Amino acid sequence: MTAERSVLPGRFSGLSIKLIATIIAVILLVEVVVYLPSLASFRANWLDDRLRVGVVAARVLDAVPDVMALPRELTDRLLTSAGANAIVYRRQGQSQLIELASPVRPDLVVTADMRQADLMTLILGAIDVLFATPDRTLRIVGQGDLDDSLVELLMSERPLRQDMLAYSRQIGIVSLAIAAVTAVALYLLASYLFIYPVRRLTQNMLAFRQAPENASLIITPSPRRDEIGIVERELAAMESDLFSMLRQRRHLADLGLAVAKINHDLRNTLTSAQLLSDQVATLDDPKVQRLAPRLVTTLDKAIGFAQSVLDYGRETAAPPVMAPVAMAALVDDAAFEARLVGHPTITFANGTPEALVLNVDAAQLGRVLLNLLKNAREALETANVAAPVVSVTVVEGADAITLSVSDNGPGLPPRARDNLFVAFEGSARAGGTGLGLAIAREITEAHGGRLMLIDQPQGTRFDLILPAALLVHP
């Protein structure tokens, strides 16, 4: 199943629109945070202006003797200048009142005490005015010009609310203008520094994914030294490596196909030669009898090599099919196929517990054990060891289960150790291909485990380490 092809979003439908929206939202949020104290300050100044007029009226009242009354024209002018219905002046326990000729008796009065000028009180008062009914009467209380004097004004709250709404509209327009200008400026800057380079990287990845063997699609890094510059250079290096790897794999695939065809024909030819060598071996000529075994051995090695190459070429990458497997029986079967059971000189010891059951692919894991046991047998058959032994032991840990396959032979030569799991390089015997251990490691890793060579004073030991999660509890 092929992955769905990605489509690059439009210029204003991907990161661009998200960036613009985020910038505007953040700026408006900042404006809201600034707006509330600003509105509270506007309301406080508005009320202070009215109180100052009230203080002037109080001074007029204080200058007039008690036996005299202020002219109605003067009182109306004082009230009009303050926009108030009534002004009360209190001093030393005495009160003086200036009110309209036809006084208003309000139903709903809200008090604004300007002696409490902390920020939170002012903000709450401003919010209350904005969301209140427009027909309330406002009672403004403030300190007079003398320490023991107090001035109160009664007036309609409607003018204050209208002025605050007009101020809010101005703040809103200015905020939107600032947000728009700032968003455009930041967008242009971010587009130049981030969005355009990211779109360039995205376009290149989409194009290169469609044609990874087109070298012209490898991105050309910019001279930037920041993170985006690093991404560009790393992407260019990765695409170059991928291009080279794909070209190499194509060459290897073509070469492998040719080798497989040649190898198939060569194996058929060698098989025919083997049949002829078997017939030659039956002749009574002493020279033939002396040379025939060498010829047969050489042909057997050539046929084995050809067959192992074909087997490796046909090796599939199918995932293991997990099922509960009794490991002791699996080890016995592998030992039998490796011709260790009943061997005339080599002793085989299976130390696998009978109760050990793992959830593994029996065929694949059996192939790993067969390869390890066969290698151990072949190493001991060519070595001069007094009592050759091949053993399998198991150690169960908290995180892993280790199956150790060991022998008391001469050990691996240095060349085999250096290329242990490399195909065609890691063979420990002459004429070997080294494919067995390479395949064994692939199968072990497919089970989530590891195949390791363990250093020891004598012999060879391979540890097959499998996750403890594969253990099947009775």
Side-chain angles (χ1 to χ4, degrees):
M1 180 181 296
T2 59
E4 182 180 354
R5 181 178 179 181
S6 301
V7 178
L8 187 68
R11 189 173 300 276
F12 294 100
S13 62
L15 287 177
S16 303
I17 192 65
K18 293 179 182 179
L19 179 62
I20 294 175
T22 302
I23 293 174
I24 293 177
V26 170
I27 293 176
L28 290 180
L29 180 61
V30 173
E31 291 292 342
V32 169
V33 173
V34 176
Y35 163 73
L36 292 177
S38 176
L39 184 65
S41 177
F42 176 83
R43 171 179 172 271
N45 293 333
W46 195 94
L47 296 177
D48 287 337
D49 290 341
R50 300 305 183 273
L51 276 178
R52 280 192 287 271
V53 177
V55 171
V56 172
R59 287 179 181 175
V60 173
L61 289 175
D62 204 28
V64 176
D66 295 339
V67 296
M68 296 180 61
L70 288 175
R72 172 54 58 184
E73 181 181 356
L74 179 59
T75 58
D76 290 345
R77 187 180 301 172
L78 290 173
L79 292 173
T80 302
S81 62
N85 297 328
I87 299 176
V88 180
Y89 178 62
R90 292 188 175 90
R91 182 185 177 194
Q92 296 179 351
Q94 297 181 353
S95 300
Q96 291 179 288
L97 173 65
I98 303 176
E99 62 178 348
L100 295 174
S102 56
V104 178
R105 298 293 180 257
D107 296 330
L108 182 60
V109 178
V110 60
T111 301
D113 193 344
M114 300 309 295
R115 293 171 297 179
Q116 299 178 357
D118 59 283
L119 181 61
M120 186 56 63
T121 300
L122 294 177
I123 290 176
L124 293 177
I127 295 175
D128 179 65
V129 173
L130 284 180
F131 294 97
T133 56
D135 56 351
R136 298 192 308 183
T137 297
L138 181 62
R139 175 174 171 261
I140 309 174
V141 180
Q143 191 71 33
D145 56 344
L146 300 176
D147 294 339
D148 57 347
S149 62
L150 194 68
V151 178
E152 299 181 13
L153 279 77
L154 289 176
M155 59 181 297
S156 174
E157 195 180 47
R158 185 184 297 273
L160 173 60
R161 187 170 183 271
Q162 290 176 346
D163 289 348
M164 289 177 63
L165 290 175
Y167 177 77
S168 299
R169 283 192 293 270
Q170 293 177 357
I171 291 292
I173 294 173
V174 173
S175 299
L176 289 176
I178 293 175
V181 173
T182 306
V184 171
L186 290 178
Y187 169 74
L188 294 176
L189 178 62
S191 296
Y192 175 75
L193 293 178
F194 305 110
I195 295 180
Y196 290 156
V198 170
R199 287 182 62 89
R200 176 172 174 260
L201 289 170
T202 306
Q203 289 173 340
N204 176 264
M205 286 188 288
L206 291 176
F208 188 81
R209 177 178 177 267
Q210 300 302 317
E213 297 182 1
N214 185 355
S216 64
L217 296 178
I218 298 176
I219 191 171
T220 302
S222 65
R224 296 177 59 155
R225 296 298 176 185
D226 54 11
E227 290 81 356
I228 291 182
I230 295 175
V231 171
E232 290 177 343
R233 288 188 291 274
E234 291 301 319
L235 179 60
M238 183 183 68
E239 290 177 345
S240 299
D241 293 342
L242 184 59
F243 170 79
S244 300
M245 183 184 67
L246 290 176
R247 172 170 288 186
Q248 183 181 21
R249 292 184 69 176
R250 169 174 286 186
H251 291 174
L252 290 175
D254 295 340
L255 181 61
L257 182 60
V259 170
K261 293 179 179 179
I262 296 172
N263 197 56
H264 182 271
D265 296 337
L266 178 61
R267 188 189 62 169
N268 293 335
T269 304
L270 291 174
T271 302
S272 301
Q274 186 182 36
L275 294 176
L276 293 176
S277 66
D278 291 340
Q279 296 177 5
V280 171
T282 60
L283 298 178
D284 296 333
D285 191 332
K287 293 183 178 180
V288 173
Q289 292 296 325
R290 187 175 66 253
L291 297 176
R294 296 183 182 180
L295 177 60
V296 172
T297 301
T298 303
L299 290 175
D300 287 342
K301 289 182 179 180
I303 293 173
F305 181 83
Q307 185 61 46
S308 62
V309 172
L310 290 177
D311 291 341
Y312 184 75
R314 289 195 297 263
E315 182 70 21
T316 61
V321 179
M322 304 298 193
V325 177
M327 295 305 298
L330 186 64
V331 173
D332 285 336
D333 292 342
F336 181 81
E337 293 184 24
R339 292 186 292 172
L340 279 173
V341 178
H343 196 280
T345 59
I346 301 175
T347 301
F348 173 68
N350 184 3
T352 308
E354 295 290 340
L356 180 62
V357 178
L358 298 182
N359 197 36
V360 296
D361 189 315
Q364 292 189 12
L365 199 63
R367 185 174 180 183
V368 175
L369 293 171
L370 171 62
N371 180 269
L372 297 177
L373 293 172
K374 181 181 176 182
N375 288 347
R377 175 184 61 79
E378 291 176 349
L380 290 174
E381 286 177 342
T382 59
N384 186 15
V385 180
V389 176
V390 177
S391 62
V392 177
T393 57
V394 176
V395 176
E396 297 186 36
D399 299 326
I401 300 170
T402 303
L403 284 79
S404 299
V405 179
S406 58
D407 62 67
N408 59 346
L412 294 177
R415 180 181 178 277
R417 287 176 175 269
D418 295 339
N419 303 279
L420 192 59
F421 300 106
V422 180
F424 303 104
E425 295 288 341
S427 177
R429 58 186 176 85
T433 62
L435 296 176
L437 288 178
I439 296 174
R441 184 181 66 172
E442 291 179 358
I443 293 175
T444 305
E445 292 176 348
H447 282 75
R450 292 174 295 159
L451 182 61
M452 301 176 59
L453 173 66
I454 306 300
D455 291 329
Q456 57 184 17
Q458 181 181 2
T460 305
R461 171 184 163 188
F462 282 94
D463 278 2
L464 178 61
I465 305 173
L466 297 173
L470 298 178
L471 180 63
V472 178
H473 298 281

